[in-house]
Amino acid sequence: MTNRLADTLSPYLRAHADNPVDWYPWGPEAFAEAQRRDVPLLISIGYSTCHWCHVMARESFADPETAALINRDFVAVKVDREEHPDVDGAYMAAASAFTQNLGWPLTVFTTPRGRTFYAGTYWPPQARPLMPAFRDVLAAVNEAWTQRRAQAEESADAVTDALARAAASTPSDLPDTGAIAAAALSIAAREDTQYGGFGGAPKFPVATTLGFLQSPLVRREAPDAAAAAARALAAMVGSELRDADGGFFRYATQQDWSVPHYERMLTDNAQLLSVALDAGDGPTARGIASFLLDVLRREGGGFGAAQDSESWIDGERSEGGYYRRPVAERDALEPPAVDGKVITGWNGLAVGALARAGAVLDEPAWIDAAAAAAEHVLQVNTDEHGALVRASLDGVASAAVATTADVALLAEGLLGLALATGDSRWAVRGRELLDAALAGVDSDPLLTAHGIAAAPDQTDGDLPSGAAAVASAALTAWRLGAGERYREAAADGVRAHATQAVGQPFAHGSLLRVAAGLADPPRQIVVVTELPSLALAAAARASDADVVAIVTPAQARSFADAGFELFEGKGGAATPEGGLAYDCRSFVCRLPVDDPALLSAER
């Protein structure tokens, strides 16, 4: 049989199209059917490069007898968490009321209104120690619904109400320099001094946390914490977490960074590219850029979401077998598939990282690739009204709405692209998107319609939270001279979550990096020249600054005309051919210099 998933956009859903389970995609039709039949929803959430999602699909969802139980007692809904992150976040938060072992596949049982009364992750086909069989879970949930329905509904309403209350936050003051340094040292106290990185097994790259520890304020006020970040990167670079082609795997299952979980995500690699740049590690940055361009880049210029952990070897599915082969032997093998979904915010991360890396490492092709990805997302990832959507596949836009993080991450990527290219049009478009994010982005309409609160969690995990993404983009816009209201927006975003961030710094790295940026006056360098290949521009790119812009006089005037006051008065006709460098602190600029030796590399 073929169910309703065959014509969906998601590769993850399409992979389940031939299951005997009568799957629905996420949408009002599934809710209506559950209400018509008066049965629970079974909501299964995963993504295409998730190994255990593949395992559960083979063991249970492809099994006719298990599928018959699901079809008889439930309305089954399959959700791609990468296409619907708000749905995933809402149900992951609800699942935390029932299990501490959170992850994917996420299996959630809800009332016909979508309110959770039981949840778990992977369940095997036969019972194991501490793990019931999936069929036994299905039977127990059905019994609870049919025999103790009132109790199940009461539990579901209690979870929903508790999550709605948890979403509220109480603003506090901005953390000062001392509080930010203390937060960094608290993170450093968790360093694995034997193997590098933080925590035991499994061990993750935590790029959001590393980015905070690399901030100028932490380098100055808590150098030991900054050194822990450098050691973490060095440990990852020298471990099995880094593939021979330069790309990084999702995480290591062992404390010593060995035995990777072999999927490779755009999110991790785009952020680690920025981490490598901040560490001055050119070879690692070049390796990551090559992986992005050679493996994840799709036709049209956008970047796919991830590369799978599994592939076919000798007629069998193998997890990691392809990656364990020497590079010279891989040409004879079919590589693991790439999930070609072009996700808006994730591409924003890649655009910003590649643009900056291209400028710093003098790789104009990377900047061109960043611009092509930006063009693709802006042209394809939109609905009929021109509003951004979450993703696209093969040039077809998804119906899933863009999240706040999507809009903000793309906005910041475009601001970075403007700096790398000297083209103010990218900055103008980035500012427009940032304004939209600040005005508020609607959550998933089906969650809203059923009164299901979005996840209260605003922590920074493998990605910046929506709050951190907006605050970071606003800080960047302010540094470019877009106006004081953007600094206030960044500050408001930090204030809203400052208490949690200072109390749990490891989980708020991106937000704390913004807090550090607000606590320090920015250094901004603008080089106005017709010859960007000369030594003055190179000296600027090698300097420690928050903003480095290399522009022609005409480009400087274009930025100024567009309302970016950092560039005002810097594109005059008197600019010598060799150029002038303006070294500014909080928009107060020293007298311009034309000698690279007079442009300090230090802050």
Side-chain angles (χ1 to χ4, degrees), residues 313-330:
I313 297 181
D314 298 329
E316 296 183 354
R317 294 294 284 175
S318 170
E319 189 205 2
Y322 176 88
Y323 301 108
R324 289 191 291 269
R325 298 286 182 95
V327 172
E329 296 180 14
R330 292 184 188 178

Side-chain angles (χ1 to χ4, degrees), residues 118-183:
Y118 191 61
T121 52
Y122 163 81
W123 280 299
Q126 287 83 37
R128 301 174 187 171
L130 303 179
M131 294 184 73
F134 185 48
R135 288 192 199 178
D136 293 339
V137 172
L138 294 174
V141 171
N142 179 56
E143 180 185 12
W145 180 252
T146 56
Q147 304 298 320
R148 299 182 299 280
R149 177 167 176 167
Q151 182 179 346
E153 289 182 327
E154 181 180 354
S155 173
D157 289 342
V159 169
T160 300
D161 294 343
L163 292 174
R165 290 192 299 271
S169 61
T170 303
S172 60
D173 293 335
L174 284 174
D176 60 17
T177 298
I180 295 167

Side-chain angles (χ1 to χ4, degrees), residues 265-354:
M265 312 297 293
L266 174 60
T267 49
D268 295 323
N269 283 279
Q271 291 179 99
L272 287 172
L273 175 53
S274 294
V275 169
L277 278 178
D278 283 341
D281 186 347
T284 297
R286 290 181 183 279
I288 297 171
S290 294
F291 166 69
L292 295 178
L293 297 172
D294 298 340
V295 177
L296 292 189
R297 184 164 50 170
R298 305 289 88 193
E299 185 177 355
F303 293 93
Q307 186 176 30
D308 208 333
S309 60
E310 294 187 5
S311 64
W312 291 99
I313 297 181
D314 298 329
E316 296 183 354
R317 294 294 284 175
S318 170
E319 189 205 2
Y322 176 88
Y323 301 108
R324 289 191 291 269
R325 298 286 182 95
V327 172
E329 296 180 14
R330 292 184 188 178
D331 287 343
L333 299 174
E334 179 183 348
V338 171
D339 182 335
K341 288 196 312 298
V342 175
I343 297 175
T344 296
W346 299 12
N347 272 257
L349 286 171
V351 166
L354 278 171

Side-chain angles (χ1 to χ4, degrees), residues 271-558:
Q271 291 179 99
L272 287 172
L273 175 53
S274 294
V275 169
L277 278 178
D278 283 341
D281 186 347
T284 297
R286 290 181 183 279
I288 297 171
S290 294
F291 166 69
L292 295 178
L293 297 172
D294 298 340
V295 177
L296 292 189
R297 184 164 50 170
R298 305 289 88 193
E299 185 177 355
F303 293 93
Q307 186 176 30
D308 208 333
S309 60
E310 294 187 5
S311 64
W312 291 99
I313 297 181
D314 298 329
E316 296 183 354
R317 294 294 284 175
S318 170
E319 189 205 2
Y322 176 88
Y323 301 108
R324 289 191 291 269
R325 298 286 182 95
V327 172
E329 296 180 14
R330 292 184 188 178
D331 287 343
L333 299 174
E334 179 183 348
V338 171
D339 182 335
K341 288 196 312 298
V342 175
I343 297 175
T344 296
W346 299 12
N347 272 257
L349 286 171
V351 166
L354 278 171
R356 178 171 163 241
V360 171
L361 298 178
D362 193 22
E363 292 286 354
W366 300 359
I367 301 174
D368 292 342
E375 289 279 11
H376 180 86
V377 171
L378 290 172
Q379 291 179 9
V380 176
N381 288 26
T382 58
D383 64 16
E384 65 272 19
H385 305 295
L388 284 174
V389 298
R390 168 67 174 172
S392 64
L393 180 68
D394 299 331
V396 179
S398 168
V401 297
T403 66
T404 298
D406 281 323
V407 179
L409 291 172
L410 181 58
E412 183 151 27
L414 296 181
L415 294 172
L417 183 58
L419 284 173
T421 60
D423 189 341
S424 65
R425 293 174 297 176
W426 296 117
V428 170
R429 188 70 179 101
R431 184 178 57 194
E432 292 171 354
L433 293 178
L434 174 57
D435 288 343
L438 291 170
V441 175
D442 292 336
S443 182
D444 181 90
L446 198 54
L447 293 178
T448 302
H450 288 271
I452 302 170
D457 186 13
Q458 284 291 341
T459 57
D460 305 316
D462 58 339
L463 278 168
S465 67
V470 172
S472 182
L475 178 64
T476 299
W478 171 67
R479 286 170 169 171
L480 282 173
E484 282 297 312
R485 73 182 184 93
Y486 292 101
R487 187 188 189 282
E488 281 306 305
D492 287 345
V494 173
R495 290 189 190 101
H497 304 281
T499 300
Q500 299 96 314
V502 171
Q504 298 177 308
F506 195 83
H508 293 85
S510 295
L511 194 79
L512 287 169
R513 184 176 175 96
V514 178
L518 291 166
D520 268 354
R523 184 188 185 192
Q524 303 135 310
I525 298 176
V526 179
V527 176
V528 183
T529 178
E530 295 284 3
L531 301 170
S533 61
L534 295 184
L536 188 63
R541 294 189 186 100
S543 297
D544 185 6
D546 301 295
V547 172
V548 176
I550 315 296
V551 292
T552 66
Q555 288 174 331
R557 293 192 295 272
S558 179

